[in-house]
Amino acid sequence: MTDVQNERAYQKQDAIPLGFSARVSKKKKGSLRYYKDIGLGYKTPQAAIDGDYIDKKCPFTGNVSIRGRILKGVVISTKMQRTIVVRRDYLHYIKKYNRFEKRHKNIPAHCTPAFRVKEGDTVTLGQCRPLSKTVRFNVIQHTPAQESSGKGFKIF
């Protein structure tokens, strides 16, 4: 557990009491880990079950529930700590010209350490309570990027 303690605040999972793991570890090898199924047909990643990270904003191991919208998008930035920026492309209809125009939105989302996300990957986001000033979504599924040549909308 010492390698997890790299923040200023003491890192622990709220669902497991501090003195409880010492009593149980004699019977069972390994340490206790709290994880849950978020429902909606999305499986808990194996890295969340076996991992040793502590993230209170993780939907699988923390105190965050997924409710509301489920969105898909392409990762365009991973420069923040545990936060990514996802681009959602869509078409907007202009009635006067009887045509569509391309538009996009950038959505900041919390990315748990269970996912190894890179730029260009496709992720599924689930809406949750506000996690910070701008973050209201959490990554619940990750699909690695496919090799493709050409510009344009990546999600279509």
Side-chain angles (χ1 to χ4, degrees):
M1 182 125 172
T2 57
D3 58 339
V4 177
Q5 303 300 332
N6 55 7
E7 303 289 334
R8 288 182 132 182
Y10 182 72
Q11 301 292 305
K12 72 177 192 73
Q13 286 188 312
D14 290 332
I16 299 175
L18 281 176
F20 188 71
S21 61
R23 284 182 269 148
V24 176
S25 63
K26 295 175 185 174
K27 300 175 186 174
K28 186 178 175 184
K29 290 186 179 178
S31 62
L32 284 177
R33 181 150 179 86
Y34 170 77
Y35 65 92
K36 64 182 177 182
D37 181 23
I38 62 167
L40 304 170
Y42 295 98
K43 292 186 176 181
T44 304
Q46 198 62 35
I49 298 170
D50 298 337
D52 60 350
Y53 70 89
I54 294 176
D55 186 8
K56 66 180 183 179
K57 297 178 181 178
C58 173
F60 305 106
T61 62
N63 187 19
V64 175
S65 61
I66 301 297
R67 80 287 192 280
R69 295 184 182 271
I70 304 292
L71 308 174
K72 266 192 176 179
V74 178
V75 178
I76 60 170
S77 174
T78 58
K79 295 176 183 174
M80 293 176 275
Q81 291 182 2
R82 296 188 180 181
T83 304
I84 61 172
V85 178
V86 177
R87 179 184 172 116
R88 295 200 66 231
D89 294 320
Y90 60 95
L91 298 174
H92 179 252
Y93 183 68
I94 308 296
K95 192 160 67 169
K96 178 180 178 182
Y97 298 110
N98 198 22
R99 283 171 171 72
F100 292 91
E101 68 180 2
K102 293 179 183 179
R103 290 189 178 181
H104 79 276
K105 294 279 186 202
N106 288 342
I107 302 172
H110 181 78
C111 184
T112 176
F115 298 113
R116 301 281 182 221
V117 178
K118 298 186 300 255
E119 293 181 13
D121 292 354
T122 303
V123 293
T124 304
L125 306 176
Q127 189 178 7
C128 59
R129 64 176 169 81
L131 301 176
S132 70
K133 180 182 174 184
T134 57
V135 177
R136 274 99 175 102
F137 287 89
N138 229 314
V139 175
I140 57 176
Q141 196 173 41
H142 168 242
T143 307
Q146 298 174 349
E147 296 291 326
S148 64
S149 61
K151 284 177 63 176
F153 277 16
K154 299 190 186 216
I155 200 73
F156 294 125

